[in-house]
Amino acid sequence: MIYLHVPFCRSFCTYCDFYSEIACRERDAQLFEQYASAVCAEASRRRDEIEATRDLNTLYIGGGTPSVLPLSLLRQMAAVASL
């Protein structure tokens, strides 16, 4: 399993221990783009580690509220993380 942490939420939940920031799609589009670029760059740098997990077939996207991100960015990160 590969875990991809998405640190953005629409609001904070009192029970959650994950690191997150309040963000909204309209206001924080540039922040989301920068985050996706950083995740893709990290996945590229860790290509060998990702290749070593080929027998595992789960990409878990969690942390904050991944659905805060535009679907196009989620697809981009998932594609790079699962190559």
Side-chain angles (χ1 to χ4, degrees):
M1 174 178 73
I2 295 175
Y3 173 73
L4 174 59
H5 184 77
V6 177
F8 306 113
C9 291
R10 288 186 180 89
S11 63
F12 289 122
C13 297
T14 57
Y15 59 83
C16 183
D17 287 333
F18 286 109
Y19 172 79
S20 65
E21 295 182 14
I22 300 299
C24 82
R25 192 173 292 185
E26 296 77 24
R27 184 190 70 217
D28 295 309
Q30 185 176 14
L31 176 64
F32 296 158
E33 294 269 348
Q34 291 170 341
Y35 173 75
S37 291
V39 167
C40 291
E42 180 75 13
S44 294
R45 282 191 296 274
R46 293 177 171 250
R47 176 76 44 226
D48 292 341
E49 292 173 63
I50 293 170
E51 290 287 331
T53 65
R54 282 285 180 216
D55 57 331
L56 304 174
N57 59 6
T58 303
L59 173 62
Y60 179 78
I61 302 174
T65 307
S67 61
V68 169
L69 295 176
L71 185 56
S72 61
L73 293 180
L74 285 170
R75 284 185 177 139
Q76 177 185 354
M77 291 185 296
V80 172
S82 61
L83 287 177

